[in-house]
Protein backbone atom coordinates (compact mmCIF):
# COMPACT_ATOMS: atom_id res chain seq x y z
CA UNK A 1 0.00 0.00 0.00
CA UNK A 2 1.18 3.53 -0.72
CA UNK A 3 1.37 4.81 2.83
CA UNK A 4 4.35 6.99 1.86
CA UNK A 5 2.11 9.46 -0.04
CA UNK A 6 -0.43 9.64 2.74
CA UNK A 7 -3.09 7.54 1.05
CA UNK A 8 -5.70 5.92 3.26
CA UNK A 9 -6.62 2.55 1.88
CA UNK A 10 -10.05 2.54 3.53
CA UNK A 11 -11.33 5.21 1.12
CA UNK A 12 -13.77 4.35 -1.65
CA UNK A 13 -14.11 6.24 -4.92
CA UNK A 14 -16.26 6.43 -8.05
CA UNK A 15 -14.56 7.91 -11.13
CA UNK A 16 -16.62 9.21 -14.08
CA UNK A 17 -15.40 9.78 -17.65
CA UNK A 18 -16.90 8.81 -21.02
CA UNK A 19 -13.60 7.55 -22.49
CA UNK A 20 -12.66 3.91 -21.67
CA UNK A 21 -8.93 4.56 -21.93
CA UNK A 22 -9.09 7.42 -19.41
CA UNK A 23 -11.00 5.27 -16.95
CA UNK A 24 -8.39 2.53 -17.36
CA UNK A 25 -5.56 5.08 -16.94
CA UNK A 26 -7.09 6.44 -13.77
CA UNK A 27 -7.56 2.94 -12.34
CA UNK A 28 -3.98 2.09 -13.21
CA UNK A 29 -2.58 5.39 -11.88
CA UNK A 30 -4.44 5.08 -8.56
CA UNK A 31 -3.57 1.45 -8.09
CA UNK A 32 -3.65 0.65 -4.37
CA UNK A 33 -4.82 4.09 -3.27
CA UNK A 34 -8.43 3.15 -2.60
CA UNK A 35 -10.09 0.23 -0.83
CA UNK A 36 -12.57 0.26 -3.66
CA UNK A 37 -12.36 2.22 -6.94
CA UNK A 38 -15.26 1.89 -9.35
CA UNK A 39 -15.53 3.60 -12.72
CA UNK A 40 -18.52 4.89 -14.69
CA UNK A 41 -18.90 6.09 -18.29
CA UNK A 42 -21.52 8.71 -17.41
CA UNK A 43 -23.81 10.23 -14.78
CA UNK A 44 -26.43 7.48 -15.12
CA UNK A 45 -24.00 4.66 -14.49
CA UNK A 46 -22.35 6.55 -11.61
CA UNK A 47 -25.73 7.07 -9.97
CA UNK A 48 -26.45 3.33 -10.19
CA UNK A 49 -23.05 2.49 -8.65
CA UNK A 50 -23.54 4.99 -5.82
CA UNK A 51 -27.05 3.67 -5.15
CA UNK A 52 -25.69 0.16 -4.76
CA UNK A 53 -22.91 1.29 -2.45
CA UNK A 54 -21.98 4.87 -1.48
CA UNK A 55 -18.42 6.14 -2.10
CA UNK A 56 -16.30 8.50 0.01
CA UNK A 57 -15.26 10.39 -3.09
CA UNK A 58 -16.80 11.12 -6.48
CA UNK A 59 -14.29 12.16 -9.17
CA UNK A 60 -15.78 13.85 -12.24
CA UNK A 61 -13.18 13.93 -14.99
CA UNK A 62 -14.46 16.48 -17.55
CA UNK A 63 -11.98 15.69 -20.32
CA UNK A 64 -14.09 15.02 -23.46
CA UNK A 65 -17.30 16.06 -21.69
CA UNK A 66 -19.47 18.68 -23.37
CA UNK A 67 -20.84 21.49 -21.21
CA UNK A 68 -23.91 21.99 -23.40
CA UNK A 69 -24.80 18.27 -23.35
CA UNK A 70 -23.52 16.88 -20.04
CA UNK A 71 -23.99 19.72 -17.54
CA UNK A 72 -27.52 18.84 -16.38
CA UNK A 73 -26.72 15.15 -15.69
CA UNK A 74 -23.34 15.78 -14.02
CA UNK A 75 -24.77 18.74 -12.10
CA UNK A 76 -27.58 16.51 -10.77
CA UNK A 77 -24.93 14.07 -9.59
CA UNK A 78 -23.14 16.90 -7.71
CA UNK A 79 -26.45 17.98 -6.15
CA UNK A 80 -27.19 14.39 -5.03
CA UNK A 81 -23.86 14.23 -3.20
CA UNK A 82 -25.38 16.75 -0.78
CA UNK A 83 -21.99 18.00 0.38
CA UNK A 84 -20.16 14.65 0.28
CA UNK A 85 -16.73 15.04 -1.38
CA UNK A 86 -16.69 15.73 -5.14
CA UNK A 87 -13.45 16.32 -6.99
CA UNK A 88 -13.75 17.81 -10.47
CA UNK A 89 -10.84 17.36 -12.88
CA UNK A 90 -11.29 20.23 -15.34
CA UNK A 91 -9.23 20.79 -18.54
CA UNK A 92 -7.62 24.25 -18.44
CA UNK A 93 -9.32 25.18 -21.72
CA UNK A 94 -12.85 24.59 -20.35
CA UNK A 95 -12.97 26.30 -16.96
CA UNK A 96 -16.54 27.48 -17.54
CA UNK A 97 -17.50 24.07 -16.17
CA UNK A 98 -16.46 25.21 -12.70
CA UNK A 99 -19.01 27.96 -11.98
CA UNK A 100 -21.61 25.91 -13.86
CA UNK A 101 -21.13 22.83 -11.64
CA UNK A 102 -20.61 24.88 -8.47
CA UNK A 103 -24.15 26.12 -8.94
CA UNK A 104 -25.36 22.56 -8.19
CA UNK A 105 -23.41 22.06 -4.98
CA UNK A 106 -20.04 22.37 -3.26
CA UNK A 107 -17.05 20.79 -4.96
CA UNK A 108 -13.29 20.78 -5.08
CA UNK A 109 -11.46 21.09 -8.40
CA UNK A 110 -8.11 20.53 -10.03
CA UNK A 111 -7.05 21.88 -13.41
CA UNK A 112 -5.85 19.45 -16.09
CA UNK A 113 -4.09 18.07 -17.94
CA UNK A 114 -2.54 16.19 -15.02
CA UNK A 115 0.05 13.48 -15.28
CA UNK A 116 -0.70 10.24 -13.39
CA UNK A 117 1.84 11.19 -10.74
CA UNK A 118 0.25 14.62 -10.24
CA UNK A 119 -3.22 13.08 -9.92
CA UNK A 120 -1.91 10.66 -7.36
CA UNK A 121 -0.22 13.37 -5.31
CA UNK A 122 -3.35 15.49 -5.49
CA UNK A 123 -5.59 12.67 -4.27
CA UNK A 124 -3.16 11.83 -1.49
CA UNK A 125 -3.10 15.45 -0.31
CA UNK A 126 -6.90 15.59 -0.35
CA UNK A 127 -7.11 12.32 1.58
CA UNK A 128 -4.78 13.67 4.25
CA UNK A 129 -7.06 16.68 4.58
CA UNK A 130 -10.03 14.35 4.94
CA UNK A 131 -11.63 15.49 1.69
CA UNK A 132 -13.41 18.38 3.28
CA UNK A 133 -14.94 20.27 0.40
CA UNK A 134 -13.86 23.69 1.54
CA UNK A 135 -10.19 22.83 2.21
CA UNK A 136 -7.63 22.80 0.82
CA UNK A 137 -9.25 23.06 -2.58
CA UNK A 138 -11.74 25.93 -2.54
CA UNK A 139 -11.42 28.31 0.41
CA UNK A 140 -14.27 30.43 1.71
CA UNK A 141 -13.21 34.02 0.93
CA UNK A 142 -12.30 36.15 3.93
CA UNK A 143 -13.84 39.54 4.65
CA UNK A 144 -10.68 41.28 3.40
CA UNK A 145 -10.83 39.33 0.15
CA UNK A 146 -14.46 40.20 -0.31
CA UNK A 147 -13.71 43.87 0.36
CA UNK A 148 -10.94 43.81 -2.28
CA UNK A 149 -13.30 42.08 -4.71
CA UNK A 150 -15.88 44.78 -4.09
CA UNK A 151 -13.26 47.48 -4.70
CA UNK A 152 -12.19 45.84 -7.98
CA UNK A 153 -15.78 45.49 -9.13
CA UNK A 154 -16.62 49.11 -8.43
CA UNK A 155 -13.37 50.33 -10.02
CA UNK A 156 -14.28 48.33 -13.15
CA UNK A 157 -17.73 49.86 -13.08
CA UNK A 158 -16.29 53.38 -12.71
CA UNK A 159 -14.06 52.75 -15.74
CA UNK A 160 -17.27 52.89 -17.80
CA UNK A 161 -17.08 56.69 -17.38
CA UNK A 162 -14.24 56.50 -19.96
CA UNK A 163 -16.14 54.22 -22.31
CA UNK A 164 -16.33 56.83 -25.09
CA UNK A 165 -12.81 55.77 -26.10
CA UNK A 166 -11.94 52.06 -26.27
CA UNK A 167 -8.23 52.41 -25.51
CA UNK A 168 -8.72 54.80 -22.58
CA UNK A 169 -11.47 52.52 -21.27
CA UNK A 170 -9.28 49.41 -21.64
CA UNK A 171 -6.44 51.15 -19.76
CA UNK A 172 -8.71 52.07 -16.87
CA UNK A 173 -10.24 48.62 -16.77
CA UNK A 174 -6.82 46.95 -16.68
CA UNK A 175 -5.71 49.28 -13.89
CA UNK A 176 -8.83 48.25 -11.95
CA UNK A 177 -8.32 44.53 -12.66
CA UNK A 178 -4.70 44.72 -11.52
CA UNK A 179 -6.18 45.31 -8.06
CA UNK A 180 -7.71 41.80 -7.99
CA UNK A 181 -6.13 39.82 -5.11
CA UNK A 182 -3.00 38.04 -6.35
CA UNK A 183 -3.02 39.62 -9.83
CA UNK A 184 0.38 40.88 -11.02
CA UNK A 185 -0.65 41.86 -14.57
CA UNK A 186 -3.96 42.51 -16.33
CA UNK A 187 -4.61 42.83 -20.06
CA UNK A 188 -7.50 43.32 -22.44
CA UNK A 189 -7.58 41.80 -25.93
CA UNK A 190 -10.15 42.91 -28.48
CA UNK A 191 -11.06 41.68 -31.98
CA UNK A 192 -11.00 44.64 -34.32
CA UNK A 193 -10.41 45.13 -38.08
CA UNK A 194 -9.78 41.44 -38.70
CA UNK A 195 -7.13 40.97 -36.03
CA UNK A 196 -6.83 40.62 -32.29
CA UNK A 197 -5.45 43.71 -30.54
CA UNK A 198 -3.90 44.14 -27.14
CA UNK A 199 -5.84 47.29 -26.19
CA UNK A 200 -4.16 47.75 -22.82
CA UNK A 201 -2.09 46.01 -20.18
CA UNK A 202 -1.13 47.01 -16.68
CA UNK A 203 1.09 45.52 -14.02
CA UNK A 204 4.57 44.04 -14.20
CA UNK A 205 7.20 46.55 -15.30
CA UNK A 206 8.83 45.43 -18.56
CA UNK A 207 6.26 42.72 -19.34
CA UNK A 208 4.89 43.35 -22.83
CA UNK A 209 2.49 40.67 -23.93
CA UNK A 210 2.75 41.77 -27.59
CA UNK A 211 6.49 41.10 -27.56
CA UNK A 212 5.92 37.79 -25.83
CA UNK A 213 3.05 36.51 -27.97
CA UNK A 214 2.73 38.23 -31.35
CA UNK A 215 4.05 36.82 -34.60
CA UNK A 216 5.01 39.52 -37.16
CA UNK A 217 3.13 42.03 -35.03
CA UNK A 218 -0.08 39.99 -35.24
CA UNK A 219 -1.69 38.17 -32.34
CA UNK A 220 -3.98 35.88 -34.33
CA UNK A 221 -0.87 34.44 -35.98
CA UNK A 222 0.71 33.74 -32.60
CA UNK A 223 2.18 30.23 -32.33
CA UNK A 224 1.13 30.42 -28.67
CA UNK A 225 -2.56 30.98 -29.23
CA UNK A 226 -3.41 27.40 -28.19
CA UNK A 227 -1.46 27.83 -24.95
CA UNK A 228 -1.86 31.39 -23.66
CA UNK A 229 -5.22 31.80 -21.88
CA UNK A 230 -5.80 35.42 -23.02
CA UNK A 231 -5.46 34.44 -26.69
CA UNK A 232 -7.27 31.15 -26.26
CA UNK A 233 -10.26 32.77 -24.55
CA UNK A 234 -10.47 35.48 -27.22
CA UNK A 235 -10.24 32.92 -30.03
CA UNK A 236 -12.49 30.16 -28.68
CA UNK A 237 -14.79 31.99 -26.26
CA UNK A 238 -13.77 29.51 -23.55
CA UNK A 239 -12.96 30.49 -20.00
CA UNK A 240 -9.35 29.34 -19.71
CA UNK A 241 -7.62 28.73 -16.41
CA UNK A 242 -3.98 27.71 -16.42
CA UNK A 243 -3.18 27.23 -12.74
CA UNK A 244 0.38 26.13 -13.41
CA UNK A 245 2.00 27.28 -16.62
CA UNK A 246 3.62 23.95 -17.52
CA UNK A 247 0.19 22.43 -18.22
CA UNK A 248 -0.11 24.28 -21.54
CA UNK A 249 2.83 22.36 -23.02
CA UNK A 250 4.90 25.46 -23.88
CA UNK A 251 7.88 25.34 -21.51
CA UNK A 252 9.60 28.38 -23.07
CA UNK A 253 6.51 30.56 -22.53
CA UNK A 254 6.10 29.21 -19.00
CA UNK A 255 9.72 30.04 -18.23
CA UNK A 256 9.43 33.59 -19.64
CA UNK A 257 6.27 34.29 -17.65
CA UNK A 258 7.90 32.85 -14.56
CA UNK A 259 10.74 35.39 -14.83
CA UNK A 260 8.06 38.11 -14.64
CA UNK A 261 6.58 36.48 -11.53
CA UNK A 262 3.49 35.09 -13.27
CA UNK A 263 2.59 31.54 -12.17
CA UNK A 264 -1.09 31.30 -13.06
CA UNK A 265 -2.94 32.82 -16.05
CA UNK A 266 -6.68 33.22 -16.55
CA UNK A 267 -8.41 34.15 -19.81
CA UNK A 268 -12.03 35.25 -19.54
CA UNK A 269 -13.85 35.73 -22.86
CA UNK A 270 -15.65 39.04 -23.36
CA UNK A 271 -19.01 37.98 -24.80
CA UNK A 272 -20.29 39.59 -28.00
CA UNK A 273 -23.68 41.33 -27.73
CA UNK A 274 -25.10 39.24 -30.58
CA UNK A 275 -24.31 35.88 -32.13
CA UNK A 276 -20.78 34.94 -33.19
CA UNK A 277 -17.46 34.65 -31.39
CA UNK A 278 -16.36 36.73 -28.39
CA UNK A 279 -15.41 40.44 -28.63
CA UNK A 280 -12.09 39.62 -27.00
CA UNK A 281 -10.84 38.53 -23.60
CA UNK A 282 -9.68 39.73 -20.23
CA UNK A 283 -6.40 38.18 -19.20
CA UNK A 284 -5.18 38.06 -15.61
CA UNK A 285 -1.71 36.92 -14.57
CA UNK A 286 -1.41 35.81 -10.94
CA UNK A 287 1.74 35.62 -8.81
CA UNK A 288 0.70 32.19 -7.44
CA UNK A 289 -1.73 29.43 -8.25
CA UNK A 290 -4.85 30.01 -6.21
CA UNK A 291 -8.23 28.29 -6.24
CA UNK A 292 -11.31 30.32 -7.05
CA UNK A 293 -14.47 30.41 -5.00
CA UNK A 294 -17.85 30.41 -6.79
CA UNK A 295 -18.14 34.14 -5.89
CA UNK A 296 -14.81 34.93 -7.54
CA UNK A 297 -15.66 32.93 -10.67
CA UNK A 298 -18.98 34.73 -10.85
CA UNK A 299 -17.19 38.07 -10.42
CA UNK A 300 -14.80 37.27 -13.30
CA UNK A 301 -17.76 36.48 -15.52
CA UNK A 302 -19.56 39.68 -14.43
CA UNK A 303 -16.46 41.78 -15.17
CA UNK A 304 -16.17 40.29 -18.65
CA UNK A 305 -19.81 41.20 -19.29
CA UNK A 306 -19.15 44.70 -18.00
CA UNK A 307 -16.14 44.92 -20.35
CA UNK A 308 -18.39 43.88 -23.24
CA UNK A 309 -20.71 46.71 -22.29
CA UNK A 310 -17.83 49.24 -22.12
CA UNK A 311 -16.32 48.16 -25.44
CA UNK A 312 -19.74 48.29 -27.11
CA UNK A 313 -20.28 51.81 -25.71
CA UNK A 314 -16.91 52.88 -27.14
CA UNK A 315 -17.89 51.35 -30.47
CA UNK A 316 -21.22 53.21 -30.47
CA UNK A 317 -19.41 56.47 -29.70
CA UNK A 318 -17.05 55.82 -32.63
CA UNK A 319 -19.99 55.04 -34.90
CA UNK A 320 -21.84 58.16 -33.74
CA UNK A 321 -18.83 60.34 -34.47
CA UNK A 322 -18.49 58.84 -37.94
CA UNK A 323 -22.22 59.32 -38.53
CA UNK A 324 -22.09 62.93 -37.39
CA UNK A 325 -19.07 63.61 -39.62
CA UNK A 326 -20.96 62.08 -42.55
CA UNK A 327 -24.08 64.15 -41.85
CA UNK A 328 -22.01 67.33 -41.48
CA UNK A 329 -20.25 66.57 -44.75
CA UNK A 330 -23.58 66.01 -46.52
CA UNK A 331 -25.05 69.20 -45.07
CA UNK A 332 -22.10 71.40 -45.95
CA UNK A 333 -20.83 69.94 -49.22
CA UNK A 334 -22.04 70.13 -52.80
CA UNK A 335 -22.40 66.56 -54.06
CA UNK A 336 -21.39 67.25 -57.70
CA UNK A 337 -18.13 69.13 -57.08
CA UNK A 338 -17.35 68.21 -53.45
CA UNK A 339 -16.94 71.95 -52.73
CA UNK A 340 -18.51 73.86 -49.83
CA UNK A 341 -22.18 74.50 -50.67
CA UNK A 342 -23.82 77.92 -50.68
CA UNK A 343 -25.14 77.84 -47.10
CA UNK A 344 -21.80 76.64 -45.71
CA UNK A 345 -20.03 79.26 -47.87
CA UNK A 346 -22.13 82.01 -46.31
CA UNK A 347 -21.25 80.95 -42.80
CA UNK A 348 -17.56 80.59 -43.71
CA UNK A 349 -17.60 84.13 -45.15
CA UNK A 350 -19.10 85.43 -41.88
CA UNK A 351 -16.36 83.69 -39.90
CA UNK A 352 -13.62 85.10 -42.14
CA UNK A 353 -15.07 88.61 -41.89
CA UNK A 354 -14.98 88.42 -38.08
CA UNK A 355 -11.43 87.16 -38.15
CA UNK A 356 -10.28 89.81 -40.65
CA UNK A 357 -11.79 92.49 -38.39
CA UNK A 358 -10.28 91.11 -35.21
CA UNK A 359 -6.76 90.89 -36.66
CA UNK A 360 -7.10 93.89 -39.02
CA UNK A 361 -6.27 91.75 -42.06
CA UNK A 362 -7.47 92.25 -45.63
CA UNK A 363 -10.13 89.87 -46.98
CA UNK A 364 -11.15 89.44 -50.61
CA UNK A 365 -14.05 87.74 -52.35
CA UNK A 366 -13.90 86.52 -55.94
CA UNK A 367 -17.17 85.57 -57.64
CA UNK A 368 -17.07 83.80 -61.00
CA UNK A 369 -19.62 82.36 -63.38
CA UNK A 370 -19.20 80.12 -66.41
CA UNK A 371 -19.92 81.98 -69.64
CA UNK A 372 -22.85 80.85 -71.80
CA UNK A 373 -23.21 77.67 -69.80
CA UNK A 374 -26.76 77.05 -70.99
CA UNK A 375 -25.37 76.70 -74.52
CA UNK A 376 -23.01 73.94 -73.30
CA UNK A 377 -25.92 72.06 -71.80
CA UNK A 378 -27.98 72.57 -74.94
CA UNK A 379 -25.20 71.59 -77.35
CA UNK A 380 -23.48 68.73 -75.54
CA UNK A 381 -26.11 67.56 -73.05
CA UNK A 382 -26.51 67.80 -69.30
CA UNK A 383 -23.94 65.07 -68.39
CA UNK A 384 -21.24 67.03 -70.27
CA UNK A 385 -22.46 70.17 -68.45
CA UNK A 386 -21.88 68.35 -65.15
CA UNK A 387 -18.42 67.32 -66.28
CA UNK A 388 -17.64 70.97 -67.10
CA UNK A 389 -18.73 72.02 -63.59
CA UNK A 390 -16.51 69.36 -62.00
CA UNK A 391 -13.56 70.28 -64.22
CA UNK A 392 -13.87 74.00 -63.46
CA UNK A 393 -14.08 73.19 -59.72
CA UNK A 394 -11.01 70.91 -59.87
CA UNK A 395 -8.99 73.42 -61.89
CA UNK A 396 -9.76 76.24 -59.46
CA UNK A 397 -9.10 74.05 -56.41
CA UNK A 398 -5.68 73.09 -57.77
CA UNK A 399 -4.70 76.77 -58.17
CA UNK A 400 -5.75 78.02 -54.75
CA UNK A 401 -3.88 78.10 -51.44
CA UNK A 402 -5.06 75.84 -48.65
CA UNK A 403 -6.26 78.92 -46.74
CA UNK A 404 -8.59 79.93 -49.61
CA UNK A 405 -12.12 78.55 -49.50
CA UNK A 406 -13.79 77.55 -52.76
CA UNK A 407 -17.59 77.51 -52.72
CA UNK A 408 -20.17 76.42 -55.30
CA UNK A 409 -22.55 79.27 -54.62
CA UNK A 410 -25.06 78.54 -57.41
CA UNK A 411 -25.64 76.45 -60.57
CA UNK A 412 -22.50 77.47 -62.52
CA UNK A 413 -21.39 80.17 -60.12
CA UNK A 414 -18.46 79.87 -57.70
CA UNK A 415 -16.81 81.98 -54.99
CA UNK A 416 -13.32 82.16 -53.55
CA UNK A 417 -13.07 83.50 -50.00
CA UNK A 418 -9.44 84.65 -49.91
CA UNK A 419 -8.23 85.47 -46.39
CA UNK A 420 -5.13 87.73 -45.87
CA UNK A 421 -5.73 89.02 -49.41
CA UNK A 422 -6.04 92.59 -50.69
CA UNK A 423 -7.87 93.65 -53.89
CA UNK A 424 -4.58 93.82 -55.84
CA UNK A 425 -3.64 90.26 -54.94
CA UNK A 426 -7.20 89.06 -55.51
CA UNK A 427 -7.12 90.53 -59.03
CA UNK A 428 -3.92 88.56 -59.71
CA UNK A 429 -5.55 85.44 -58.36
CA UNK A 430 -8.65 86.07 -60.52
CA UNK A 431 -6.49 86.43 -63.62
CA UNK A 432 -4.76 83.11 -62.84
CA UNK A 433 -8.18 81.44 -62.55
CA UNK A 434 -9.48 83.00 -65.76
CA UNK A 435 -6.38 82.01 -67.76
CA UNK A 436 -6.27 78.46 -66.36
CA UNK A 437 -9.93 77.71 -67.07
CA UNK A 438 -9.72 79.11 -70.58
CA UNK A 439 -6.86 76.64 -71.24
CA UNK A 440 -8.33 73.51 -69.76
CA UNK A 441 -9.28 70.63 -72.07
CA UNK A 442 -12.70 69.11 -71.42
CA UNK A 443 -13.41 65.82 -73.24
CA UNK A 444 -16.46 66.02 -75.51
CA UNK A 445 -16.82 69.79 -75.21
CA UNK A 446 -15.44 73.14 -76.37
CA UNK A 447 -13.20 75.21 -74.14
CA UNK A 448 -15.11 77.24 -71.54
CA UNK A 449 -14.45 80.68 -70.13
CA UNK A 450 -15.47 82.42 -66.94
CA UNK A 451 -16.25 86.02 -65.99
CA UNK A 452 -15.16 87.28 -62.58
CA UNK A 453 -16.03 89.99 -60.06
CA UNK A 454 -13.53 90.86 -57.28
CA UNK A 455 -14.07 92.81 -54.04
CA UNK A 456 -12.08 93.61 -50.93
CA UNK A 457 -13.93 93.82 -47.60
CA UNK A 458 -14.58 97.45 -46.70
CA UNK A 459 -14.25 98.99 -43.23
CA UNK A 460 -17.27 97.83 -41.17
CA UNK A 461 -18.86 96.16 -44.20
CA UNK A 462 -21.24 93.16 -43.90
CA UNK A 463 -21.00 89.92 -45.87
CA UNK A 464 -24.26 90.70 -47.68
CA UNK A 465 -23.02 94.09 -48.82
CA UNK A 466 -19.75 92.59 -50.03
CA UNK A 467 -21.69 89.91 -51.99
CA UNK A 468 -23.92 92.55 -53.61
CA UNK A 469 -20.89 94.56 -54.74
CA UNK A 470 -19.15 91.44 -56.10
CA UNK A 471 -22.29 90.42 -58.03
CA UNK A 472 -22.47 93.89 -59.57
CA UNK A 473 -18.81 93.61 -60.65
CA UNK A 474 -19.50 90.18 -62.19
CA UNK A 475 -22.49 91.59 -64.09
CA UNK A 476 -20.25 94.34 -65.48
CA UNK A 477 -17.72 91.70 -66.62
CA UNK A 478 -20.54 89.86 -68.44
CA UNK A 479 -21.63 93.13 -70.09
CA UNK A 480 -18.03 93.89 -71.03
CA UNK A 481 -18.00 90.78 -73.26
CA UNK A 482 -17.27 87.92 -70.77
CA UNK A 483 -13.95 86.05 -70.11
CA UNK A 484 -12.73 89.09 -68.12
CA UNK A 485 -12.45 90.51 -64.60
CA UNK A 486 -14.06 93.56 -62.96
CA UNK A 487 -13.15 95.08 -59.60
CA UNK A 488 -16.08 96.02 -57.39
CA UNK A 489 -16.62 99.70 -56.48
CA UNK A 490 -16.17 100.48 -52.81
P1 LIG B 1 -23.92 83.76 -68.86
O1 LIG B 1 -22.71 83.80 -69.72
O2 LIG B 1 -24.65 85.05 -68.91
O3 LIG B 1 -23.63 83.35 -67.48
O4 LIG B 1 -24.86 82.72 -69.54
P2 LIG B 1 -25.28 81.32 -68.96
O5 LIG B 1 -25.89 80.55 -70.05
O6 LIG B 1 -24.13 80.70 -68.30
O7 LIG B 1 -26.28 81.75 -67.83
P3 LIG B 1 -27.64 81.18 -67.33
O8 LIG B 1 -27.79 81.64 -65.94
O9 LIG B 1 -28.69 81.60 -68.34
O10 LIG B 1 -27.50 79.64 -67.39
C1 LIG B 1 -27.01 78.87 -66.35
C2 LIG B 1 -27.29 77.45 -66.71
O11 LIG B 1 -26.63 76.58 -65.81
C3 LIG B 1 -28.76 77.08 -66.63
C4 LIG B 1 -28.81 75.76 -65.90
O12 LIG B 1 -29.52 74.80 -66.61
C5 LIG B 1 -27.37 75.36 -65.83
N1 LIG B 1 -27.08 74.62 -64.63
C6 LIG B 1 -27.24 75.03 -63.35
N2 LIG B 1 -26.85 74.04 -62.51
C7 LIG B 1 -26.45 73.00 -63.29
C8 LIG B 1 -25.93 71.68 -63.01
O13 LIG B 1 -25.78 71.26 -61.88
N3 LIG B 1 -25.59 70.90 -64.07
C9 LIG B 1 -25.75 71.33 -65.36
N4 LIG B 1 -25.40 70.53 -66.35
N5 LIG B 1 -26.24 72.53 -65.64
C10 LIG B 1 -26.59 73.36 -64.63
MG1 LIG C 1 -23.20 81.59 -66.70
MG1 LIG D 1 -25.17 82.13 -63.73
Amino acid sequence: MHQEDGAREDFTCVFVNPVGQRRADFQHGCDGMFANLRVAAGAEQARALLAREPADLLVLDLERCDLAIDLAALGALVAERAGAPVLVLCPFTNARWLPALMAFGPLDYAIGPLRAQQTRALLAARMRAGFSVSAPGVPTPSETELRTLLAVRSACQQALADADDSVRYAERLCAALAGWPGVVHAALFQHRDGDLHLEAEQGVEGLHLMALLAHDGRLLQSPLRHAFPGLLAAATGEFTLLDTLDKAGEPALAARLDTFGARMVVGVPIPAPGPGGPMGALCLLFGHAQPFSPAQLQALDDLARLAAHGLRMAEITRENEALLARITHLATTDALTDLANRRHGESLLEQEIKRARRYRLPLALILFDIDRFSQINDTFGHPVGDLVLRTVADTARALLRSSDVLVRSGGEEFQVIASHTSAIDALKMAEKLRAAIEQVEIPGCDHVTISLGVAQLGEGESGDSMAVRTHAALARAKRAGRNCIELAMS
Side-chain angles (χ1 to χ4, degrees), residues 59-322:
V59 177
L60 299 179
D61 177 13
L62 301 175
E63 185 69 47
R64 305 284 193 87
C65 291
D66 188 321
L67 186 65
I69 299 168
D70 303 319
L71 176 65
L74 292 177
L77 214 49
V78 171
E80 286 157 22
R81 293 291 285 169
V86 179
L87 174 64
V88 168
L89 303 178
C90 180
F92 80 94
T93 50
N94 292 79
R96 199 173 289 292
W97 270 105
L98 298 176
L101 280 177
M102 283 172 176
F104 288 89
L107 54 84
D108 183 12
Y109 72 84
I111 297 297
L114 292 169
R115 289 191 300 277
Q117 203 51 42
Q118 290 172 310
T119 311
R120 221 186 145 81
L122 178 94
L123 287 166
R126 300 294 204 271
M127 278 189 202
R128 277 196 299 273
F131 272 114
S132 114
V133 171
S134 58
V138 179
T140 319
S142 68
E143 187 193 326
T144 345
E145 269 177 46
L146 286 178
R147 277 187 192 286
T148 320
L149 203 60
L150 178 64
V152 172
R153 287 174 66 117
S154 32
C156 287
Q157 199 177 13
Q158 280 158 22
L160 284 173
D162 268 336
D164 50 355
D165 178 284
S166 67
V167 171
R168 210 150 19 90
Y169 169 65
E171 280 169 357
R172 250 188 98 171
L173 190 64
C174 286
L177 288 171
W180 183 289
V183 166
V184 294
H185 200 81
L188 187 151
F189 295 96
Q190 185 182 200
H191 289 287
R192 193 159 48 71
D193 315 322
D195 203 0
L196 186 64
H197 296 261
L198 175 65
E199 300 290 19
E201 63 183 322
Q202 184 95 25
V204 180
E205 186 90 26
L207 171 54
H208 302 296
L209 290 177
M210 269 315 266
L212 205 63
L213 302 170
H215 178 74
D216 279 345
R218 300 197 63 188
L219 282 171
L220 279 185
Q221 256 77 43
S222 172
L224 298 169
R225 63 167 193 263
H226 65 283
F228 187 75
L231 299 185
L232 205 55
T236 63
E238 289 293 348
F239 179 14
T240 310
L241 200 179
L242 202 52
D243 64 346
T244 57
L245 300 174
D246 58 341
K247 286 178 185 167
E250 288 288 346
L253 173 68
R256 286 288 287 142
L257 287 170
D258 191 79
T259 60
F260 288 109
R263 312 272 143 65
M264 170 167 111
V265 186
V266 177
V268 194
I270 300 173
M279 288 179 94
L282 300 176
C283 183
L284 302 179
L285 280 61
F286 290 76
H288 295 282
Q290 60 185 62
F292 286 115
S293 66
Q296 288 170 324
L297 289 170
Q298 183 59 51
L300 284 175
D301 211 41
D302 289 347
L303 294 181
R305 278 173 209 288
L306 204 64
H309 189 58
L311 292 177
R312 180 68 193 126
M313 267 166 74
E315 199 174 298
I316 290 174
T317 306
R318 254 197 327 273
E319 286 168 5
N320 284 355
E321 279 164 5

